[in-house]
Amino acid sequence: MIALVQTIDLILSLYTWVLIGTAVMSWLIAFNVINPYSPAVRSIGQGLHVVTEPLLRPIRRVVPSAGGMDFSPVILLIVIFFLRRFIPEVLLGM
């Protein structure tokens, strides 16, 4: 059971870094630091989009953007942090 909890925690931790990477990449593209038409940047961006969009899309439907700011990654990060604390409590009683 401990191995399962640790594996879930690792997956959630890695997904947190993917979300942060997606946000940083969008800022770098928005401020013209990196070229979005570069094949390498485009493939990384598409990969990150494919991984993050299925979980961000339902949040974006519920939470409207405020002045062009997308708060869905922040909400998803809060949910992930909650799950990382909640899952060991429920499964292991820690």
Side-chain angles (χ1 to χ4, degrees):
M1 189 61 78
I2 293 174
L4 175 65
V5 170
Q6 289 175 342
T7 304
I8 292 170
D9 186 57
L10 176 65
I11 291 169
L12 291 173
S13 177
L14 291 174
Y15 199 78
T16 298
W17 286 107
V18 169
L19 279 172
I20 292 170
T22 303
V24 168
M25 186 164 180
S26 71
W27 294 338
L28 292 174
I29 290 172
F31 293 119
N32 291 325
V33 175
I34 58 175
N35 182 8
Y37 300 108
S38 166
V41 172
R42 185 180 307 144
S43 65
I44 292 170
Q46 287 175 346
L48 291 173
H49 181 78
V50 166
V51 172
T52 58
E53 194 59 27
L55 292 178
L56 291 174
R57 189 178 308 120
I59 297 171
R60 286 187 182 126
R61 285 188 197 135
V62 176
V63 178
S65 63
M69 293 292 294
D70 184 16
F71 290 106
S72 58
V74 174
I75 294 170
L76 185 55
L77 284 172
I78 291 170
V79 169
I80 289 172
F81 289 138
F82 173 76
L83 288 174
R84 289 184 70 194
R85 302 296 178 248
F86 181 73
I87 290 174
E89 283 282 329
V90 170
L91 294 180
L92 299 177
M94 299 176 117

